[in-house]
Amino acid sequence: MKFSLNREALLKPLLLVSGAVERKSTLPILGNILFEINDQSLTLTATDLELEMVAYAEVDNQGENGKLTIPARKLLDICKSLPDGSMLNFHSKDDSIKISTGRSKYSLSTLSADDFPNIEEWKGDVEFKLLKSQFLQLIESTHFSMANQDVRYYLNGMSIETEGHEIRSVATDGHRLAICKISNESLSLPARQVIVPRKGILEIIRLLNPVDEEVQVFLGSNHIRIIDTEFSFTSKLVDGRFPDYRRVLPRNGDKVLEANKEQLRQVLSRASILSNEKFKGVRLNFSNNELKITANNPEQEEAEEIIEIDFPYDELEIGFNVSYVLDVLNAVKDEKVKFTLADSQSSVVIEGYDSGEALYVVMPMRL
């Protein structure tokens, strides 16, 4: 194999696929990227057996078509450190690949492409197109509520659901719940629910830009695939049943608070500085015209913040993990937020005041 291409033309697909490269694998080949030359096109593939990333580049092919695998991290570091506009010449021989540019020469050891694992061929039984900006909104609005290394493995991911005109994303770690939905009248989808693992979700956030370009999504029985003009991303699904979150949505909230999101975010951020580092608890005292937020920690330090509100109900005291509430306020795009409360023992529902796309439930804390 002998081919050449510009540094920038290689760096972009290299960066795209590098997220799927396994860092600490016992299989050395998973630390490599598969290079496949076919006429003037180069296909790069990386996998950790759970995720697979494919990206493409145009090359000047001066030899035969073929494929080999090259160490991902070393190649990426070399590419990053070369000057802009460098022309890279690749020439494979035996078990190594020689890379030359100007007066610089590198030789990297390669592994046989025959040993590179491929995610098996499969067909998606649900398929739809969505704007990248919408898909990103679906995921960014809820991803922070996913569990991390929970023994209930099905919580370590996000539920993606389709039904009729709607696509929903749902995430929960057992203490909080986030739901976002997008309606598109042009869609007519079967009822399906899949759980995409945490690593796959974080990779999708890295890959997608908030632009109004369409991306194709395929859901299969064991995989999700996203196809764009520049890349193809595939992730295995979590094999499990996602909890029936509709059963835990609070329905008895009869007290509604409307507040300025940014003002509330700032006072909660300040109060959190002196909250218990482990439990992050803050106490919210609602009265007719003011909300008092207090926090303290084992060092006997205290914070108190007061903001004016309109709360025409009985007084109410409730405790929360402040990080959970701040995550929600950071995700909401509206200027005002709406809190729906029942009592000190019940979960609160938080929504943006204007948009009805996302809904958040946070369980109270005993303080």
Side-chain angles (χ1 to χ4, degrees), residues 115-171:
D115 299 330
F116 195 82
N118 268 342
I119 286 184
E120 71 269 16
E121 281 302 310
W122 59 279
K123 281 191 80 68
D125 46 13
V126 177
E127 128 186 22
F128 55 89
K129 286 183 177 175
L130 203 59
L131 293 176
K132 289 182 188 175
S133 52
Q134 287 184 315
F135 199 21
L136 198 56
Q137 179 195 343
L138 257 185
I139 287 174
E140 287 191 325
S141 296
T142 56
H143 80 280
F144 54 84
S145 292
M146 293 187 295
N148 191 8
Q149 297 181 326
D150 197 295
V151 290
R152 298 163 294 180
Y153 60 92
Y154 48 84
L155 297 184
N156 300 320
M158 181 183 293
S159 174
I160 304 280
E161 303 173 11
T162 62
E163 189 175 7
H165 304 308
E166 264 187 18
I167 302 165
R168 286 185 296 275
S169 64
V170 189

Side-chain angles (χ1 to χ4, degrees), residues 7-151:
R7 167 189 178 265
E8 284 68 33
L10 178 60
L11 190 55
K12 191 172 183 184
L14 259 184
L15 287 166
L16 278 174
V17 302
S18 62
V21 174
E22 184 56 69
R23 303 276 189 276
K24 312 177 186 122
S25 173
T26 50
L27 279 174
I29 199 150
L30 295 183
N32 283 18
I33 291 174
L34 176 68
F35 274 60
E36 200 165 347
I37 294 283
N38 191 2
D39 297 333
Q40 303 305 309
S41 71
L42 166 65
T43 304
L44 293 82
T45 308
T47 183
D48 64 0
L49 300 180
E50 297 293 318
L51 307 179
E52 182 184 79
M53 269 297 309
V54 182
Y56 313 96
E58 293 289 313
V59 296
D60 176 15
N61 184 6
Q62 302 124 22
E64 296 173 1
N65 292 344
K67 50 188 183 179
L68 50 76
T69 76
I70 304 176
R73 179 53 48 198
K74 292 170 186 169
L75 180 60
L76 187 57
D77 287 347
I78 289 169
C79 268
K80 280 180 177 174
S81 57
L82 286 170
D84 291 352
S86 301
M87 182 56 79
L88 302 173
N89 303 297
F90 288 76
H91 186 196
S92 71
K93 197 172 180 188
D94 300 329
D95 293 335
S96 70
I97 188 144
K98 308 274 189 288
I99 308 167
S100 61
T101 174
R103 302 183 72 174
S104 308
K105 288 181 182 170
Y106 306 90
S107 176
L108 294 175
S109 58
T110 59
L111 292 171
S112 168
D114 297 336
D115 299 330
F116 195 82
N118 268 342
I119 286 184
E120 71 269 16
E121 281 302 310
W122 59 279
K123 281 191 80 68
D125 46 13
V126 177
E127 128 186 22
F128 55 89
K129 286 183 177 175
L130 203 59
L131 293 176
K132 289 182 188 175
S133 52
Q134 287 184 315
F135 199 21
L136 198 56
Q137 179 195 343
L138 257 185
I139 287 174
E140 287 191 325
S141 296
T142 56
H143 80 280
F144 54 84
S145 292
M146 293 187 295
N148 191 8
Q149 297 181 326
D150 197 295
V151 290

Side-chain angles (χ1 to χ4, degrees), residues 19 79 89 102 208 234 239 325 334 348 359:
C79 268
N89 303 297
L208 293 179
T234 308
D239 183 16
V325 181
D334 302 15
V348 61
L359 179 145

Side-chain angles (χ1 to χ4, degrees), residues 242-274:
F242 203 74
D244 183 3
Y245 58 88
R246 290 178 181 86
R247 288 208 348 254
V248 298
L249 288 175
R251 309 207 184 277
N252 59 341
D254 55 358
K255 303 173 183 66
V256 177
L257 165 73
E258 292 163 12
N260 177 286
K261 181 193 75 174
E262 192 52 35
Q263 182 190 24
L264 192 57
R265 196 180 68 78
Q266 286 178 9
V267 295
L268 285 170
S269 295
R270 292 197 295 267
S272 73
I273 297 167
L274 298 185

